[in-house]
Amino acid sequence: MGFHTFDADKAERLERPAVRYRWVSAEEVIGALTAEGTDRADRAAATVADLGSGTGFYTDAVAPHVETVYGVDVQAEMHAFYREKGVPENVALVESDVAALPFDDGELDAAFSTMTYHEFASDAALAELARVIRADGRLALFDWSAAGDGEHGPPADERFAASDAVDALEAAGFEGISAAERTETFAVIARAP
């Protein structure tokens, strides 16, 4: 299961709001990165990473709400597309595998992934996220669900269920905050150890 990487030659398909927001809204991502009761001033100081940032579609949505966003992607072609599109000033592009992030221990306040958990899901990647996200920081995962019909996103046999993600996160020391199966996707929010 897992480890399907989106074809960079089709990057322009990732820039369709009507399609992307059908499965995960910008508000969901932004809300998942902040603790309830956190005021705007606290959020402005946040340093977050978009794991599998691709063309920066969700990175762009999060950027106005935080101090720094690291757009992390393994494909240089995705970063090239993003640069051509225009990268906000507070976004830094990082070419890296999630299992070997170039961040200091606890450097990130939060991290999120939209439709890419299946590309990096491994014990090594989750251990790395536990290392780089500060204690009590958040990790938000939105991805294609194994319970979906497979008509959208990667083939069904390359997907995970929300419960699979929760089990893997808990094994890496994360504490679950919420988990939900939706029509074709799941949403899991966890707190770093």
Side-chain angles (χ1 to χ4, degrees):
M1 264 195 335
F3 306 106
H4 172 273
T5 303
F6 190 83
D7 184 353
D9 290 336
K10 298 177 182 176
E12 71 282 345
R13 293 179 58 202
L14 298 176
E15 290 295 310
R16 301 177 298 172
V19 174
R20 300 297 302 272
Y21 290 148
R22 176 180 178 192
W23 307 115
V24 180
S25 74
E27 290 81 8
E28 283 182 284
V29 176
I30 295 162
L33 298 176
T34 58
E36 289 184 26
T38 303
D39 67 26
R40 174 115 174 113
D42 289 341
R43 284 185 279 163
T47 299
V48 303
D50 180 353
L51 310 168
S53 59
T55 64
F57 183 84
Y58 287 100
T59 314
D60 288 346
V62 170
H65 302 278
V66 300
E67 185 176 299
T68 303
V69 182
Y70 291 106
V72 178
D73 207 289
V74 295
Q75 298 184 72
E77 300 86 355
M78 288 294 194
H79 283 161
F81 184 99
Y82 194 6
R83 282 186 191 94
E84 189 172 315
K85 182 179 87 167
V87 179
E89 287 185 26
N90 66 329
V91 173
L93 301 181
V94 177
E95 189 176 334
S96 177
D97 186 296
V98 175
L101 294 167
F103 304 124
D104 292 335
D105 294 357
E107 183 175 344
L108 303 177
D109 294 307
F112 68 98
S113 167
T114 54
M115 311 319 217
T116 59
Y117 175 71
H118 65 275
E119 294 183 15
F120 65 79
S122 69
D123 292 344
L126 296 181
E128 185 69 343
L129 289 170
R131 181 186 71 77
V132 300
I133 300 173
R134 70 169 169 75
D136 293 325
R138 290 200 173 199
L139 174 61
L141 304 173
F142 301 90
D143 202 5
W144 299 105
S145 174
D149 63 21
E151 288 185 31
H152 305 280
D157 65 347
E158 295 182 9
R159 302 172 177 207
F160 297 89
S163 60
D164 298 328
V166 168
D167 290 347
L169 287 166
E170 288 177 352
F174 286 86
E175 176 187 346
I177 295 174
S178 66
E181 286 282 354
R182 293 116 60 106
T183 307
E184 283 289 323
T185 63
F186 70 74
V188 172
I189 303 170
R191 186 176 292 113

